[in-house]
Amino acid sequence: LQQMMAPSVTLMISKKCLDCVGGFDEKLNHSVDYDLVLRLAKKYNFKFIDEPLAVVHATGADRMTNDLFKEAKAMEYICEKHKTLFEKHPKILAKRYYRIGRCLCCAGYDEKGMSYLCHSLKLKFNLKTVLVLAKSMLDICYKSVKRH
């Protein structure tokens, strides 16, 4: 729940298990592996192999994970889809809301981002969230003054 432990390229999943949870959710265009692992974890136990299985190059401007708006929208969908699971873990939900809020603010959706940051604070007070919220508010004020 905290975060994706490993890239999906390193997961070894039988077709039977993959079919049982419905495979990848085609409605998602970001975080598809995270959603898949959440659904698998509800039905199966995981075993970890403590050795490198793949080399992952996480660079390049064209990576799907570089689109902060897509990340935020995907995480909104995942939080709603797995709502009952996240509600049992409010601290983790607060972290998810914080991430959504940061992504939205960085993508230029300040007001919606600030709403998520506030939801995060309601679940768990965090000074870092307060600072990001304050910065977003200042950015909105600056944009408003700059227009006039």
Side-chain angles (χ1 to χ4, degrees):
L1 256 184
Q2 289 270 6
Q3 64 187 27
M4 183 65 182
M5 295 300 292
S8 57
V9 70
T10 64
L11 297 174
M12 297 191 309
I13 307 164
S14 73
K15 180 157 177 18
K16 179 183 170 188
C17 294
L18 197 59
D19 290 343
C20 186
V21 297
F24 288 103
D25 186 338
E26 294 181 13
K27 293 178 187 168
L28 286 166
N29 58 13
H30 195 286
S31 305
V32 291
D33 47 0
Y34 179 65
D35 173 67
L36 177 65
V37 167
L38 287 177
R39 288 183 286 121
L40 286 166
K42 288 178 183 177
K43 293 187 176 249
Y44 303 102
N45 292 321
F46 286 71
K47 293 187 180 179
F48 293 94
I49 300 170
D50 195 16
E51 62 183 80
L53 299 175
V55 176
V56 178
H57 297 280
T59 60
D62 60 342
R63 290 180 61 227
M64 184 168 60
T65 54
N66 287 342
D67 189 328
L68 295 175
F69 182 73
K70 282 184 181 177
E71 180 180 345
K73 296 308 289 177
M75 201 49 61
E76 281 180 316
Y77 175 78
I78 289 169
C79 285
E80 186 59 34
K81 182 177 180 178
H82 301 281
K83 188 175 187 172
T84 56
L85 180 62
F86 280 108
E87 285 176 343
K88 294 175 187 173
H89 305 278
K91 289 180 182 178
I92 295 172
L93 183 57
K95 287 180 182 182
R96 295 283 121 221
Y97 284 167
Y98 169 79
R99 181 68 187 163
I100 294 169
R102 285 247 1 234
C103 287
L104 288 170
C105 288
C106 289
Y109 298 88
D110 295 310
E111 291 182 28
K112 189 167 185 184
M114 288 191 319
S115 174
Y116 272 100
L117 292 169
C118 287
H119 287 306
S120 175
L121 281 173
K122 287 178 187 175
L123 292 169
K124 181 182 182 294
F125 180 81
N126 184 318
L127 184 58
K128 182 169 65 170
T129 306
V130 172
L131 294 173
V132 171
L133 189 56
K135 183 196 177 300
S136 298
M137 292 170 72
L138 289 171
D139 287 347
I140 288 174
C141 292
Y142 176 75
K143 289 174 190 173
S144 176
V145 169
K146 193 174 175 182
R147 275 187 240 137
H148 296 291

